[in-house]
Amino acid sequence: MHPAYTIGLDYGTNSVRALVVDVRSGEEIGTCVFEYPSGERGLLLDRSNPDLTRQNPRDYLDGLQASVKGALAMAGSRDGFDPAHVIGIGVDTTGSTPIPVDELGRPLAFQPRFRDDLNAYVWLWRDHTGHAEAAQITETARRLRPQYLAKCGGTYSAEWYWSKILHCLNVAPDVFDAAHTWVEHADWIPAVLTGTERPTALRRSVCAAGHKAMFSREWGGYPDAEFLAALDPRLVPLRDALPDRTYNVADTAGGLTEEWATRLGLRAGTPVAIGAFDAHLGAVGAGIGRGTLVKIIGTSTCDLMVSPLDADIADVPGLCGIVPESVLPGQFGMEAGQSAVGDIFNWFVEVVKPAGKGHRELTAEAERLRPGESGLLVLDWHNGNRTVLVDQRLTGLIVGLTLHTTPAEIYRALVEATAFGARVIMERYEEYADRVTRVVNCGGISASNRMVMQIYADVMGRPVEISRSPQTCALGAAIAGAVAAGSEDGGYADFGSAMEAMTGVQDVVFKPDPERRKTYDRLYALYRQMHDAFGVKGAGGDMYRVMKALLEIRDAARR
Amino acid sequence: MHPAYTIGLDYGTNSVRALVVDVRSGEEIGTCVFEYPSGERGLLLDRSNPDLTRQNPRDYLDGLQASVKGALAMAGSRDGFDPAHVIGIGVDTTGSTPIPVDELGRPLAFQPRFRDDLNAYVWLWRDHTGHAEAAQITETARRLRPQYLAKCGGTYSAEWYWSKILHCLNVAPDVFDAAHTWVEHADWIPAVLTGTERPTALRRSVCAAGHKAMFSREWGGYPDAEFLAALDPRLVPLRDALPDRTYNVADTAGGLTEEWATRLGLRAGTPVAIGAFDAHLGAVGAGIGRGTLVKIIGTSTCDLMVSPLDADIADVPGLCGIVPESVLPGQFGMEAGQSAVGDIFNWFVEVVKPAGKGHRELTAEAERLRPGESGLLVLDWHNGNRTVLVDQRLTGLIVGLTLHTTPAEIYRALVEATAFGARVIMERYEEYADRVTRVVNCGGISASNRMVMQIYADVMGRPVEISRSPQTCALGAAIAGAVAAGSEDGGYADFGSAMEAMTGVQDVVFKPDPERRKTYDRLYALYRQMHDAFGVKGAGGDMYRVMKALLEIRDAARR
C-alpha cells in the first residue's frame, strides 16, 4: 500500500496553519503558518468601539494557498513524499464567525461598494457588538421558545450567529439587505475548495449550526419563522434561504475543484471533509472519549466532552451547547469555554509590561510562590465570561493588592484565576453530564508552561495530561480528512480507528498535590463567592450591577 | 529689631528635614534632609511579617544634628544670617510612633541586650502587627468605655499607641517588662533637646495623647486602670507612670540644653515647642482655619479641620480623633486620613513598573483620558483604610479590567480612587462637623502633579488650592517655634498672627469642572457601593469577608 497523507487546515484568530500528516502514524511531516496581513495581526478594529472585531475574507484565501504550499514544500523534503499521496483534506476555523455573502456565496466584502464598510466583512467570533441583540434573543426565546435556550446553556451569546446578524440589521441595514445569507467561516472554506459556495449547494456543518445558530433536529432545523419574526420580521426571508439539514465531520463537502487542485498542487477530486470549529476538531486531535475533558488552551479556551447519543444528558445551564454529532458521529458534543486565558497572560506581559519581564521570567518567579501566599484573587473576566455565565459585559477584577504586591504575584494570580474558571466548567459538566476522570490540555501554553499545568491539576484535582501534538486542531482536521478519504483509499472508515492511529499524549502527567489543593479549595470557595456576586443577577448585595454600570459609563465617555 | 529665625524639624517616614524660616516673612532660607541610614530607607522590616515596620532611634538623633547643621549652613550663605538669631525650635514627627524607654527615658534599643530585638525599637506609625490587639481594645471599649471610642471614630486602630504596647506585651514580654514607659516620637525629640527625657519630667503633647492614646480631660486623662486591666492587668503599672496632664503646641518643652546647643551651634536655652504630629503642624503651615480642609498628601494623607472649642461638634464615626487643642490652642483639632496615596502611585511605578514608565509619562498619558473612559474602578486600600473604616485588614481592588486596559488607565484609576477616598472623608466631616468651603493641599504631589489636583477638584467638587510652602509640616513646626519664642523675643504671641505672617497659598486654584464632576458623581456612587460592600460588616452580600479571608490564607501560607 502506498503511503497516505492528509492535510489539516486550521484557521485561527491571527493566522492559518496547514499541517501534512502521515495517516498511518499520525506523524506531522510538514506545516506552515500564514499570518493574516490585514489590520492588526489580522483583526480589523474600530478605536471608538472596543467590542468590534472583524476580518478580511481575502486573508483566508491568500492564507489557504500559501499555507498549503508551504506545508507541502516542507513535507517534500521527506524521502518518498509525493503530493499525489494526499488523500483528504479537513478544515477547522474559529466560530461563530459568520460572513455575509451574495447569492453566489461570495463575501460582500469583495464588492467595491462595501470595501470601506466593516459590517460587510467577517464578523470574528470575539466581536461583541451584538450584546444588546443577544439579550433580546435570550429574552424572546425565554418567552417563546425556551427549548432553544436549553441546548445552548440558557443564554444566547453576543458571539453567536443570530446576535451578529441582528446587530448588522440594526446598524447596517444596507449590508443586511445585500446579504443573501450568512455563512460560517468553517462552512465557507470547504465550500470554496469544492466549488459549492452557492447557497443552494452549500453543506453546512452541524457543529456551527447546532452550537451557534440554534439548529436542532428536535424542532426541525433552524429557529422557526415565527420566532425570528418576533425578533425582527426582516429576518424571515433569511430563514427561508437556510437548509433543513446539516452534516457532520464524517461527511464530505465534495471533491477538490480543478482550480484549487492546480493552485495547491494536489489531485482534483480529493475529498474535503465538512468543516468544524477549531476546538471540536482539536478535541478529536487530542483523542477525546467519554470521561475525558479536553481543554484547548490558547488566547481563550474551549472545553469539550462527548457522551453517547443514547446517554441521558440533561440540558446544562451555561454551556455553549450540547449538539448531537458536533464533535464525533454517534456522540453528543458538549462545548464550554473561557473567554480569555492566554489573552490575559499576554495582556499582562504585552500591555501592562510589568518590569519589562516576559512570560518565562514571570513564570520562574511565580513558580516559587505558594498557593495563597500573595493574598490575591482574580476574576478572569477581562474578555467577559463564556461559561457558565455567558455574559460579555463582565470585566476582570483583582482583589488583595497591597503596597508589596509584585508582578510575579499578579501573574500567578491571573493563572490561578483561569484555573478556577476551568474548575467551574468541570464542575458544571460533572453536575449535569459525566464525571471527568482525566483532563487533556492542548495548545501552546500546555506544552510550554509546566507551572500553569501544575496549577490546573492542583486546582481541578484531576490528573492533567498534555496532547502529544502541538497542533491538535490541525491534526484533528487532518483526521477528518482521513475519514473523508475512507478506508478504501488509504484512510479510515471511522473516527475511532483514525484517532487510535493518529493521536496520543505526552509521557508527563501532572498530578494534584493534596496540600496545595487544600489551599486552593479555600481560594476557590472565595472565587465562587465573587463569581456569583459579580456575575449572577440578584446575588451578592447588588455587586452584579457594578461591572455593568462601569461599562455603561465607559461607553458613554467614549461616544 | 534684629532679624529672627526659627527652626522646624520634620521627622518623616524615611528622613528628617530641618528648615530655617524667617519669622517676619515666612521665607524659608535654609533646609537640609537627612535620610535614615538603617534598614530599607529607614524602615526595619521582617520578611516573614509584612505588618511589621520599626525604626532605629539612633537615626533620629543622627538626623537631628546633621539636618540642623546642614540647614544652618545653607542659611549661612545669606547676608546677615546669624545662628544666634534663631529664637525657637519646633518639632513634628509621624505618629503614633511610640518608643519603649527605660526609667531615664532612654530607648531600650540602645541597650546591648535588645540590639537584635526589633520589638525594642521604634514602632513606626504604619506598623500593623497589633491588629488583633486593636480589635480587642475596640471590643473592650465598646463594652466598658464607649466614650473612649466616640472620640476616635468608633474603632481603635492597629496603628495606635495601646495596640502596639499590648501587642508587645503579647509577643515580647521581656521588652514590655523592660520598658518603664512608652514615649511618642513627637514627645521624645523635644525632651531630648531640652533634657527632659526622664519620664517624670517629660511633657507629653495632647496631639499624640488625645488622638492615639485615648487621653481626654473628659475622663481625667489616659484610660483608667480598670479598663486597662480588662485588656491585660500587666498594663496597670504602665498607666500609673503616665502623667495626668498634657500640653499643646503653644507650650514649651523647655530650653535647649548646653550639650545640644553646642552640637547644633545654637544658643542654650532657646525655647523648644511641645511636639506634634507632622500633619497637625502641617495644617498650621498651610494656614488652617474654620471651613478649610487641609490635606497633607504624601505616602499617605492626613486630612485636618479645626472648629472652635465652643462649637457643638458631634462625635464623628470613623475619624481618627477629635481632640481639643491638638492642632491649635482654643480649637478642636479633627484628624482623618488615607492609609496610602503616594504610596499607591509609587507601588505602581516602582514595583509593578508598567512598561518602564515613570510618574511623569504615566501622568501625561492619563491626563488625556476622560473620566470614566477606562471603565476602571479602584478601591485604594493597598495599605488598609484609615478613615472612615479604620481597618488595616483591607486590601486594594481593581475592577473593570479588559484585554485593552493600559498602564495609564490604571494609573489614572489609582489617582481617582484616592480622590474618591478623599471625598468620603470630606463628606464625613460635612455630615458631622463643618461645611468644607475650600481644600488646601500640601506635600510634594500637590505641587508637582496638576492632573492629580484637578481630579481632586472634580471629584470633591470644591476649589482646591496648593500651599505655598513645599515643606508645610516643617514650616508649621517653625511657626510653633516662633510662638514658643513669644512676641517679646521677636516671635509671636499666638498662632493666628504667626500663621498670617508666615503662611500662604499658590496663585493657581483648581476649580471643579461641572461636566467631569457629573461623571465622577456616577463613579463615586459605585465606589461607595464597593466601599461599603467590602468594608462594612453585614453589607454587600457578605463581600466583607473576602479580603479578610484572603489575608488569613496569605498569613497561613507564609507561616
Side-chain angles (χ1 to χ4, degrees):
Chain A
M1 204 166 187
H2 67 71
Y5 307 94
T6 54
I7 293 176
L9 274 161
D10 169 38
Y11 282 88
T13 296
N14 306 107
S15 61
V16 53
R17 171 186 298 277
L19 185 70
V20 181
V21 182
D22 184 319
V23 168
R24 301 286 156 264
S25 62
E27 194 187 355
E28 300 166 8
I29 65 166
T31 190
C32 176
V33 172
F34 175 85
E35 311 265 352
Y36 303 145
S38 301
E40 296 179 24
R41 304 180 67 212
L43 309 180
L44 309 178
L45 304 171
D46 177 351
R47 164 94 191 99
S48 71
N49 186 352
D51 289 326
L52 186 149
T53 313
R54 306 285 155 80
Q55 292 199 315
N56 188 344
R58 177 69 60 201
D59 290 352
Y60 300 160
L61 299 181
D62 293 345
L64 173 51
Q65 182 160 348
S67 66
V68 170
K69 298 280 281 184
L72 288 172
M74 182 173 163
S77 68
R78 289 281 183 126
D79 268 358
F81 175 80
D82 182 344
H85 296 153
V86 172
I87 61 170
I89 298 171
V91 177
D92 72 78
T93 73
T94 68
S96 174
T97 300
I99 313 170
V101 300
D102 63 19
E103 52 290 323
L104 296 177
R106 294 173 308 204
L108 296 186
F110 293 166
Q111 297 183 14
R113 65 164 169 150
F114 287 124
R115 184 171 299 151
D116 296 327
D117 189 344
L118 284 181
N119 296 306
Y121 281 69
V122 182
W123 293 51
L124 190 65
W125 65 274
R126 78 177 210 192
D127 186 288
H128 290 161
T129 50
H131 58 81
E133 288 81 2
Q136 183 195 350
I137 293 169
T138 298
E139 182 42 45
T140 306
R142 192 160 288 147
R143 205 158 31 87
L144 302 178
R145 300 287 187 275
Q147 65 273 31
Y148 290 1
L149 288 183
K151 294 294 172 213
C152 64
T155 308
Y156 196 79
S157 165
E159 293 186 357
W160 297 348
Y161 193 73
W162 294 109
S163 300
K164 286 168 167 162
I165 295 173
L166 187 53
H167 185 68
C168 180
L169 192 164
N170 288 331
V171 298
D174 54 333
V175 172
F176 177 84
D177 289 339
H180 178 73
T181 188
W182 292 64
V183 179
E184 282 284 350
H185 185 192
D187 297 331
W188 190 63
I189 300 297
V192 165
L193 286 171
T194 59
T196 57
E197 307 105 297
R198 194 184 292 264
T200 48
L202 181 80
R203 291 184 160 190
R204 297 186 191 241
S205 65
V206 70
C207 178
H211 281 288
K212 312 296 182 190
M214 290 177 159
F215 179 97
S216 173
R217 267 175 282 185
E218 266 185 41
W219 48 81
Y222 286 94
D224 62 73
E226 186 185 320
F227 170 75
L228 292 174
L231 295 172
D232 194 301
R234 289 169 290 177
L235 290 174
V236 175
L238 209 67
R239 168 68 177 85
D240 296 338
L242 287 170
D244 293 332
R245 68 162 293 193
T246 55
Y247 298 82
N248 70 50
V249 282
D251 300 314
T252 65
L256 198 63
T257 62
E258 289 285 352
E259 182 191 347
W260 276 102
T262 306
R263 279 203 204 166
L264 303 179
L266 299 173
R267 283 183 296 136
T270 304
V272 178
I274 287 293
F277 289 148
D278 40 14
H280 292 65
L281 280 174
V284 170
I288 195 167
R290 195 165 187 183
T292 296
L293 171 62
V294 174
K295 287 184 68 69
I296 320 279
I297 307 178
T299 54
S300 61
T301 76
C302 276
D303 299 52
L304 289 110
M305 292 193 76
V306 294
S307 216
L309 283 183
D310 56 7
D312 185 23
I313 299 290
D315 297 329
V316 186
L319 240 64
C320 306
I322 306 174
V323 175
E325 311 200 321
S326 69
V327 174
L328 291 175
Q331 310 254 358
F332 280 112
M334 296 178 286
E335 184 198 347
Q338 297 175 258
S339 301
V341 173
D343 264 351
I344 295 181
F345 313 154
N346 289 336
W347 161 75
F348 192 59
V349 167
E350 293 167 15
V351 183
V352 179
K353 293 186 184 156
K357 291 178 180 172
H359 289 290
R360 189 168 306 188
E361 200 171 347
L362 288 168
T363 298
E365 290 177 31
E367 203 158 17
R368 289 195 290 271
L369 297 169
R370 284 184 290 264
E373 183 181 346
S374 70
L376 295 175
L377 185 68
V378 168
L379 289 178
D380 51 325
W381 298 347
H382 296 59
N383 193 30
N385 177 290
R386 195 180 295 151
T387 309
V388 297
L389 299 169
V390 198
D391 188 350
Q392 273 79 38
R393 303 285 284 177
L394 295 172
T395 51
L397 181 151
I398 305 181
V399 60
L401 295 166
T402 74
L403 298 174
H404 307 286
T405 300
T406 65
E409 288 176 329
I410 297 174
Y411 190 77
R412 186 177 176 111
L414 294 172
V415 170
E416 290 168 342
T418 66
F420 295 142
R423 180 164 165 185
V424 170
I425 290 172
M426 181 184 77
E427 291 185 352
R428 185 59 59 100
Y429 270 129
E430 294 201 321
E431 188 180 354
Y432 288 89
D434 243 338
R435 166 123 185 113
V436 173
T437 52
R438 65 197 270 262
V439 177
V440 177
N441 285 342
C442 323
I445 294 169
S446 312
S448 66
N449 197 313
R450 296 173 58 89
M451 178 190 74
V452 175
M453 293 304 102
Q454 186 59 53
I455 289 174
Y456 274 55
D458 291 336
V459 167
M460 299 176 82
R462 298 289 182 281
V464 167
E465 297 173 62
I466 313 298
S467 171
R468 188 180 63 199
S469 167
Q471 315 299 343
T472 329
C473 299
L475 175 61
I479 291 172
V483 175
S487 57
E488 289 177 21
D489 200 24
Y492 294 97
D494 56 60
F495 276 88
S497 46
M499 288 197 296
E500 198 181 325
M502 296 172 75
T503 71
V505 291
Q506 296 184 12
D507 290 337
V508 58
V509 177
F510 296 89
K511 297 202 183 71
D513 172 87
E515 270 310 301
R516 288 194 296 265
R517 179 159 166 77
K518 222 179 285 175
T519 303
Y520 279 134
D521 281 347
R522 294 183 67 190
L523 287 168
Y524 179 66
L526 292 169
Y527 177 88
R528 279 311 295 248
Q529 186 190 345
M530 296 280 285
H531 176 281
D532 292 351
F534 282 91
V536 179
K537 204 167 181 168
D542 204 20
M543 285 296 102
Y544 176 78
R545 78 181 189 99
V546 173
M547 291 178 183
K548 314 291 184 212
L550 285 171
L551 290 174
E552 277 163 30
I553 294 169
R554 177 195 75 176
D555 295 345
R558 291 189 176 184
R559 264 197 293 272
Chain B
M1 203 166 187
H2 67 71
Y5 307 95
T6 54
I7 292 176
L9 273 162
D10 169 38
Y11 282 88
T13 296
N14 305 106
S15 60
V16 52
R17 172 187 297 277
L19 185 70
V20 180
V21 182
D22 183 319
V23 167
R24 300 286 157 266
S25 63
E27 194 188 356
E28 300 165 8
I29 65 165
T31 189
C32 176
V33 173
F34 175 86
E35 312 265 353
Y36 304 144
S38 300
E40 296 180 25
R41 303 181 67 213
L43 309 181
L44 309 178
L45 305 172
D46 177 351
R47 164 95 190 99
S48 72
N49 186 352
D51 289 326
L52 186 149
T53 313
R54 306 285 155 80
Q55 292 199 316
N56 188 343
R58 177 70 59 201
D59 290 352
Y60 299 161
L61 299 181
D62 293 345
L64 174 51
Q65 181 159 350
S67 65
V68 170
K69 298 280 280 185
L72 289 172
M74 181 172 162
S77 67
R78 289 279 185 127
D79 268 0
F81 175 80
D82 182 344
H85 295 154
V86 172
I87 60 170
I89 297 171
V91 177
D92 72 78
T93 72
T94 67
S96 173
T97 301
I99 312 170
V101 300
D102 64 18
E103 52 290 322
L104 296 177
R106 292 173 307 205
L108 296 187
F110 293 166
Q111 297 183 14
R113 66 164 170 150
F114 287 123
R115 184 172 299 152
D116 296 327
D117 189 343
L118 284 180
N119 297 307
Y121 282 69
V122 182
W123 294 51
L124 189 66
W125 65 275
R126 78 176 209 192
D127 185 288
H128 289 163
T129 50
H131 58 81
E133 288 81 1
Q136 184 196 348
I137 293 169
T138 299
E139 183 42 46
T140 306
R142 192 160 287 147
R143 206 159 29 86
L144 302 179
R145 301 286 186 275
Q147 66 273 30
Y148 290 1
L149 287 184
K151 295 293 172 214
C152 64
T155 308
Y156 196 77
S157 164
E159 293 185 357
W160 297 348
Y161 193 73
W162 294 109
S163 300
K164 285 167 168 163
I165 294 173
L166 186 53
H167 185 67
C168 180
L169 193 164
N170 287 331
V171 298
D174 55 332
V175 172
F176 177 84
D177 289 341
H180 179 74
T181 188
W182 292 63
V183 179
E184 282 283 352
H185 184 191
D187 296 331
W188 189 62
I189 300 296
V192 165
L193 287 170
T194 59
T196 57
E197 306 107 297
R198 194 183 291 264
T200 48
L202 181 80
R203 292 185 159 192
R204 297 186 191 239
S205 64
V206 70
C207 179
H211 282 288
K212 311 297 181 189
M214 290 176 159
F215 178 98
S216 172
R217 267 174 282 183
E218 267 186 42
W219 48 81
Y222 285 95
D224 63 73
E226 187 185 320
F227 170 75
L228 292 174
L231 295 173
D232 194 303
R234 289 169 289 176
L235 290 174
V236 175
L238 209 67
R239 168 69 178 86
D240 296 338
L242 286 170
D244 293 332
R245 70 162 293 194
T246 54
Y247 298 82
N248 69 50
V249 281
D251 300 314
T252 65
L256 197 61
T257 62
E258 288 286 352
E259 183 191 346
W260 276 101
T262 306
R263 280 203 206 167
L264 303 179
L266 298 174
R267 281 184 297 136
T270 304
V272 178
I274 288 291
F277 290 147
D278 41 15
H280 292 67
L281 281 174
V284 170
I288 196 166
R290 194 165 188 184
T292 296
L293 171 61
V294 173
K295 287 184 70 68
I296 319 279
I297 307 178
T299 54
S300 61
T301 76
C302 277
D303 300 52
L304 290 110
M305 292 192 76
V306 294
S307 217
L309 283 182
D310 56 7
D312 185 23
I313 299 290
D315 297 330
V316 186
L319 240 65
C320 306
I322 305 174
V323 175
E325 310 200 320
S326 68
V327 175
L328 290 174
Q331 310 253 358
F332 281 110
M334 298 179 284
E335 184 198 346
Q338 298 174 257
S339 303
V341 172
D343 264 351
I344 296 180
F345 313 153
N346 289 337
W347 161 74
F348 192 58
V349 167
E350 293 166 16
V351 184
V352 179
K353 293 188 184 156
K357 290 177 180 172
H359 289 290
R360 190 168 305 188
E361 200 171 350
L362 288 168
T363 298
E365 290 176 32
E367 203 157 18
R368 289 195 290 272
L369 298 169
R370 285 185 290 264
E373 183 180 346
S374 69
L376 295 174
L377 185 68
V378 168
L379 289 178
D380 51 323
W381 299 346
H382 296 58
N383 193 31
N385 177 291
R386 195 181 296 152
T387 309
V388 298
L389 298 170
V390 198
D391 188 350
Q392 272 80 38
R393 303 284 284 177
L394 295 172
T395 51
L397 180 151
I398 306 181
V399 60
L401 295 165
T402 74
L403 298 174
H404 306 286
T405 301
T406 65
E409 288 176 328
I410 297 173
Y411 190 77
R412 187 177 176 111
L414 294 172
V415 170
E416 289 169 342
T418 65
F420 294 142
R423 181 164 165 185
V424 170
I425 290 172
M426 180 185 76
E427 291 185 352
R428 185 58 59 101
Y429 271 129
E430 294 200 323
E431 187 180 353
Y432 288 89
D434 243 337
R435 166 123 185 112
V436 173
T437 52
R438 64 197 272 263
V439 176
V440 176
N441 285 342
C442 324
I445 294 169
S446 312
S448 66
N449 196 315
R450 296 173 58 90
M451 178 190 75
V452 175
M453 293 304 103
Q454 186 60 53
I455 289 173
Y456 275 55
D458 291 338
V459 167
M460 299 176 83
R462 299 288 183 281
V464 167
E465 298 173 61
I466 312 298
S467 171
R468 189 181 62 200
S469 168
Q471 315 300 343
T472 329
C473 301
L475 175 60
I479 290 171
V483 175
S487 57
E488 288 177 23
D489 200 25
Y492 294 98
D494 56 61
F495 276 87
S497 47
M499 288 197 295
E500 197 180 324
M502 297 173 74
T503 70
V505 291
Q506 296 184 10
D507 289 338
V508 60
V509 177
F510 296 88
K511 297 201 182 74
D513 173 88
E515 270 310 302
R516 288 193 297 264
R517 178 159 166 77
K518 221 179 286 175
T519 302
Y520 279 134
D521 281 346
R522 294 183 67 189
L523 288 168
Y524 179 66
L526 293 169
Y527 176 90
R528 279 311 296 248
Q529 186 189 344
M530 296 280 284
H531 176 280
D532 292 351
F534 282 91
V536 179
K537 203 166 183 170
D542 204 21
M543 285 297 99
Y544 176 78
R545 80 182 189 97
V546 173
M547 291 177 182
K548 315 290 183 214
L550 285 170
L551 290 173
E552 277 163 30
I553 294 170
R554 178 195 76 177
D555 295 345
R558 289 189 178 184
R559 263 198 293 271

